Amino acid sequence: MASSGASFKSGGARRKATKKGLIFTVMIVGASGCGKSTFINTLCENPVILRKDHADAEKAAQLKTVGLAPTTVELDEDGLKLSLTVVDTPGFGDNINNEPAFEDILGYIEHQYEEILAQESRIKRNPRFQDNRVHVLLYFIQPSGHSLREMDIEFMRLLGARVNVIPVIGKADSMTPQELNAFKKRIMEDISHYKIPIYDFPYDEEEDDEETIEENNELRGLLPFSVIGSEDEVVINGRRVRCRQYPWGVVEVDNSKHCDFSKLRYMLLSSHLHDLKDITHDVLYETWRTEKLSKEGHQDDDSGEEQ
Amino acid sequence: MAPPAAPGPVSVGIANLPNQRHKIVSRKGASYNIMVVGESGLGKTTFINTLFSALMRDYKRPEQRFAKQLDRTVQIDVVRADIEEKGFNVRLSVIDTPGFGDYANNTDCWVPIVQFLDEQHQHILNHETVPNRKTDDLRVHACLYFIQPTGHTLKPLDIEVMKHLCTRVNLIPVIAKADTITPADMLAFKDRIRDCISTHNIQVFTPAVHSEDEDATRRNTSILAAMPFSVIASENDVQVNGQTVRGRQYLWGVAEVENEAHCDFKKLRNLLIRTHMHDLITTTHDHHYETHRVAKLTASGRSDDDPALQARRGFEAKMKEEEAELRKKFTEQVRLEENRFRQWEQKLISERDRLNEDLDKQHSLVKQLEEELEEIIAARKR
């Protein structure tokens, strides 16, 4: 799967894309308090997700169902319009028993696929049909410093078969650089040990050029991405910086030495956007479609007989 | 006769009691049991090692994680150590709970912990009546509950577990990895946690505030205001302004463990060791153990009273019951009789009325006849 930036579209295609704008859907999953909402707001550079009201102490003990709340933002990346839909999942991982939540999220993703399948099978298709398929799922891992938890392993394994999963370490400012490196290494070991399917920047040795291969390798080495989010801006040395202020220092969001946020953003919204969309359509959707149709008893018989 | 003059104040030596106690306690040493509860990765092991400045527990070895058990239970691990400072000995036990809250389905994960606590109380209770009473005292004196630094509020698991623990042990909630939260967020977070704790009636350990010493009172108030304590733990020494301190070295600065502006580690350490260790030990015995004891003994039917007194009370109650019974029967009878009399009275009255009517009728008949007779006589005369 060749990966390329948005600049590959030449001439007519580019003009069309510029006018209509690209559509991209990101789903963010992770336990409460991992920094998901702050990340979304930092990514979109706008307070898209409002702060939850936690003042009600009574509600804290109640069972929470996973909410699936899509919000759409219009962004402008290098002159290209991008219609970014972010699906937040508040309530995931908050309960004492979290297994039911997995099915809810998987159901949402498969539902989008079902809609596309239904749309494709219509005699008269709707040209203005909106494609709501989730192109990438960012899974937030808690910065425990140890390794993946049972919930992380089970969830990523379940969903990796249906959507591009990219593991992300939230609140990365709670770990020192050595701890962070060791943590990342252990997570990748866990991922290969438990054979968890994730999007690891695949490239074709023969087809792609040197630059692409190098870029993908570099990004693969950064997995899982460490992010820090902040909506507060402070003026430091004359420039406005997004950061978190502690009594012992200031953490900058856009500083690539502090965290991988800027690289993740560039990857998501510019360089690998098309790759993610293509894989979703050509591989994941097709796999789902095959499984679903063969379950229903269709066969690829040329005689067209149904069982 | 005037009473003999009272003797003047004489120093008998009673004020020397604390000194004697001090000598006895120094010789005996103390046994101190701390339990840490919380999800893995919150810094419990690091905290314990930092607290006692000694490597109490080994860190989990990451190579072993693939071999770990998949039966999804919570274990109870006890680590013992003997610590000595200036000639004073402490038999320290740290009880860890690996596996707590780590799974996708954490229902009932507090049950092994609660069972452990109850078992310790029960063990001491059973030993009260045994001839040889010396036994290992593993009753937990302080239970530190590690809260994840989400910045939001308590999770349902936290609330449920704390509710179960607070009635059995001195519960001290602690915010782990406090270097993830900015100071302003930390204040708001603590407020919300305190709110949650009071809404759900969770009894956390609150040290008594007032004491004769001004300093102590001030210290206690500051300790109380800082609950739940935020902690940063580290065993590594780093250089800050030429000094060696324990802290965590980040690219953007050093978070110091013993700096009051960075976290409440010092306050918590004082609470656990320097100032309130004895308080924790005695509260465990006087309050939690007693609660357990009372519950167990009343459940088995025992009570505070003398058996004879109880029998008499039972007898009295029975008597009262019978009396009430008889009284009711009596009033019932009386009512029936009254009813009967009333009915009889009614009958007589109606009888009398009837007879009176008859009489009146006869009278009027007689009068009529008399009148007729007079008419006839008057008619004859003419």
Side-chain angles (χ1 to χ4, degrees):
Chain A
M1 213 47 65
S3 116
S4 38
S7 52
F8 88 105
K9 289 194 164 160
S10 55
R14 188 188 167 91
R15 250 178 280 128
K16 199 166 24 153
T18 320
K19 212 171 50 161
K20 219 168 59 163
L22 290 168
I23 300 177
F24 195 55
T25 308
V26 180
M27 186 184 253
I28 316 262
V29 179
S32 241
C34 271
K36 301 192 302 292
S37 310
T38 315
F39 172 77
I40 294 173
N41 291 342
T42 317
L43 186 73
C44 303
E45 287 165 17
N46 259 320
V48 170
I49 307 283
L50 295 166
R51 282 256 148 263
K52 277 197 283 238
D53 181 23
H54 295 280
D56 194 345
E58 275 292 335
K59 276 211 220 124
Q62 286 170 356
L63 191 72
K64 297 178 180 74
T65 50
V66 180
L68 289 147
T71 332
T72 311
V73 186
E74 303 290 328
L75 295 178
D76 201 310
E77 289 293 308
D78 294 331
L80 273 165
K81 282 209 204 328
L82 176 64
S83 173
L84 176 71
T85 305
V86 179
V87 185
D88 194 8
T89 52
F92 177 83
D94 281 350
N95 297 315
I96 297 179
N97 182 3
N98 292 310
E99 281 167 352
F102 296 3
E103 293 299 326
D104 288 342
I105 295 182
L106 186 64
Y108 178 85
I109 293 177
E110 291 189 340
H111 178 69
Q112 308 308 321
Y113 286 165
E114 274 169 11
E115 299 235 306
I116 297 277
L117 185 63
Q119 188 57 222
E120 277 181 0
S121 325
R122 283 162 74 109
I123 301 172
K124 195 162 175 0
R125 295 198 231 174
N126 181 2
R128 267 192 280 277
F129 179 74
Q130 226 182 352
D131 181 0
N132 285 327
R133 285 178 293 190
V134 177
H135 298 122
V136 67
L137 187 146
L138 295 177
Y139 185 77
F140 273 68
I141 299 171
Q142 272 165 354
S144 64
H146 289 188
S147 60
L148 284 182
R149 306 166 81 202
E150 189 207 7
M151 192 166 75
D152 304 335
I153 297 170
E154 291 303 312
F155 183 79
M156 286 204 281
R157 207 193 258 162
L158 188 65
L159 265 83
R162 293 279 177 254
V163 69
N164 292 313
V165 173
I166 298 183
V168 169
I169 302 174
K171 294 199 170 177
D173 55 348
S174 68
M175 289 192 280
T176 61
Q178 305 94 315
E179 288 170 357
L180 189 60
N181 284 334
F183 188 42
K184 282 189 178 185
K185 201 162 72 99
R186 279 197 286 267
I187 291 183
M188 293 315 285
E189 278 173 19
D190 275 349
I191 286 178
S192 69
H193 181 262
Y194 290 105
K195 300 200 189 12
I196 299 173
I198 59 166
Y199 177 75
D200 58 353
F201 305 98
Y203 53 81
D204 203 321
E205 287 277 345
E206 284 135 39
E207 274 191 29
D208 296 333
D209 52 39
E210 278 279 332
E211 217 185 280
T212 320
I213 296 179
E214 217 185 280
E215 195 188 345
N216 278 348
N217 262 329
E218 189 200 332
L219 286 170
R220 195 184 286 184
L222 279 179
L223 273 174
F225 294 99
S226 60
V227 297
I228 302 170
S230 171
E231 304 171 61
D232 305 319
E233 274 186 6
V234 177
V235 180
I236 295 182
N237 294 337
R239 46 186 190 105
R240 296 191 71 88
V241 178
R242 283 189 300 190
C243 61
R244 286 174 68 75
Q245 284 188 309
Y246 291 110
W248 50 88
V250 176
V251 186
E252 292 170 38
V253 170
D254 297 304
N255 185 336
S256 58
K257 280 200 287 243
H258 290 184
C259 72
D260 303 325
F261 176 79
S262 33
K263 291 220 176 75
L264 177 63
R265 186 174 198 278
Y266 181 71
M267 183 278 290
L268 268 185
L269 301 182
S270 301
S271 58
H272 286 76
L273 187 146
H274 291 284
D275 199 18
L276 289 164
K277 286 184 77 162
D278 289 340
I279 293 188
T280 310
H281 183 73
D282 295 337
V283 178
L284 296 163
Y285 172 63
E286 288 302 314
T287 319
W288 174 84
R289 190 172 174 280
T290 317
E291 280 178 30
K292 177 146 170 89
L293 292 177
S294 52
K295 249 195 298 183
E296 284 174 6
H298 294 257
Q299 276 186 326
D300 275 337
D301 232 359
D302 281 317
S303 57
E305 277 179 32
E306 277 195 7
Q307 281 221 327
Chain B
M1 228 171 62
V10 161
S11 169
V12 175
I14 291 182
N16 207 30
L17 186 61
N19 289 347
Q20 294 178 19
R21 182 131 186 85
H22 176 89
K23 282 213 191 82
I24 293 175
V25 174
S26 315
R27 201 179 42 218
K28 227 171 64 170
S31 145
Y32 198 37
N33 305 324
I34 302 183
M35 178 186 257
V36 284
V37 180
E39 296 170 34
S40 73
L42 284 182
K44 301 191 297 290
T45 313
T46 318
F47 175 78
I48 290 293
N49 291 343
T50 318
L51 190 66
F52 293 104
S53 300
L55 190 70
M56 292 278 314
R57 274 182 67 76
D58 282 321
Y59 295 100
K60 273 204 286 230
R61 268 194 290 277
E63 305 84 47
Q64 289 181 339
R65 67 187 186 275
F66 296 133
K68 72 177 167 216
Q69 25 81 288
L70 289 172
D71 52 357
R72 299 188 168 94
T73 51
V74 175
Q75 290 170 314
I76 306 281
D77 267 350
V78 183
V79 172
R80 283 173 215 255
D82 281 322
I83 298 191
E84 189 247 320
E85 189 183 284
K86 292 200 190 130
F88 184 65
N89 290 320
V90 167
R91 285 177 301 283
L92 179 72
S93 300
V94 175
I95 301 150
D96 195 0
T97 54
F100 175 81
D102 283 344
Y103 306 111
N105 184 354
N106 291 314
T107 318
D108 290 340
C109 66
W110 55 85
V111 168
I113 302 176
V114 163
Q115 267 177 354
F116 176 78
L117 293 171
D118 283 340
E119 269 167 33
Q120 301 316 310
H121 285 308
Q122 188 60 34
H123 181 74
I124 301 290
L125 183 62
N126 289 341
H127 264 74
E128 270 184 7
T129 44
V130 159
N132 182 9
R133 286 214 286 186
K134 276 188 94 57
T135 177
D136 256 348
D137 184 2
L138 210 61
R139 284 177 297 183
V140 176
H141 300 123
C143 178
L144 300 173
Y145 188 84
F146 281 70
I147 299 171
Q148 220 173 36
T150 58
H152 294 177
T153 180
L154 286 180
K155 298 203 289 195
L157 180 66
D158 298 335
I159 296 175
E160 189 64 34
V161 175
M162 290 215 274
K163 267 199 213 161
H164 285 273
L165 291 179
C166 70
T167 50
R168 296 173 162 87
V169 72
N170 293 322
L171 184 68
I172 301 175
V174 168
I175 300 175
K177 294 198 169 178
D179 50 352
T180 322
I181 308 182
T182 54
D185 287 340
M186 180 62 85
L187 288 172
F189 187 37
K190 282 191 180 183
D191 266 337
R192 282 193 284 260
I193 293 182
R194 277 195 285 256
D195 205 9
C196 238
I197 288 180
S198 63
T199 312
H200 293 274
N201 290 324
I202 298 172
Q203 304 291 332
V204 295
F205 174 72
T206 30
V209 179
H210 286 292
S211 81
E212 312 86 32
D213 192 3
E214 263 282 332
D215 266 340
T217 315
R218 226 177 318 128
R219 234 189 340 219
N220 288 343
T221 352
S222 78
I223 287 181
L224 212 53
M227 287 185 89
F229 302 102
S230 62
V231 296
I232 302 173
S234 168
E235 298 176 73
N236 304 322
D237 291 332
V238 289
Q239 293 283 348
V240 171
N241 297 335
Q243 277 187 319
T244 312
V245 289
R246 273 187 308 180
R248 290 170 63 73
Q249 175 92 50
Y250 292 107
L251 284 173
W252 44 86
V254 175
E256 294 166 47
V257 169
E258 306 210 9
N259 187 331
E260 299 260 357
H262 292 184
C263 71
D264 300 325
F265 177 80
K266 255 189 156 168
K267 289 204 183 80
L268 180 57
R269 190 179 55 189
N270 286 345
L271 179 88
L272 280 180
I273 304 179
R274 198 171 294 244
T275 48
H276 286 85
M277 180 160 136
H278 187 73
D279 196 6
L280 286 164
I281 297 179
T282 42
T283 330
T284 310
H285 183 79
D286 292 340
H287 177 67
H288 295 289
Y289 172 64
E290 285 300 307
T291 318
H292 174 94
R293 194 169 163 275
V294 167
K296 272 278 148 52
L297 291 179
T298 42
S300 67
R302 299 250 298 266
S303 81
D304 280 335
D305 301 323
D306 201 9
L309 194 65
Q310 240 187 349
R312 188 146 61 97
R313 229 183 269 153
F315 184 66
E316 268 178 29
K318 211 160 44 119
M319 287 292 108
K320 256 203 198 83
E321 228 180 82
E322 274 180 32
E323 192 185 318
E325 191 80 35
L326 284 172
R327 193 166 294 168
K328 219 173 31 167
K329 245 190 276 177
F330 181 64
T331 36
E332 192 69 35
Q333 297 277 27
V334 166
R335 211 164 45 89
L336 281 172
E337 289 302 300
E338 265 188 27
N339 265 345
R340 207 159 61 87
F341 280 133
R342 209 167 289 142
Q343 271 175 4
W344 197 14
E345 198 183 34
Q346 292 287 60
K347 246 198 321 194
L348 285 177
I349 289 176
S350 64
E351 193 70 30
R352 183 192 63 180
D353 284 340
R354 190 175 63 86
L355 288 174
N356 276 350
E357 255 180 49
D358 271 349
L359 199 57
D360 277 339
K361 251 197 262 171
Q362 300 293 355
H363 265 299
S364 57
L365 202 60
V366 164
K367 241 203 192 117
Q368 227 180 3
L369 286 174
E370 273 184 12
E371 280 177 9
E372 273 181 22
L373 188 60
E374 290 211 8
E375 267 180 27
I376 294 177
I377 293 177
R380 270 274 178 94
K381 266 200 188 143
R382 256 182 272 141

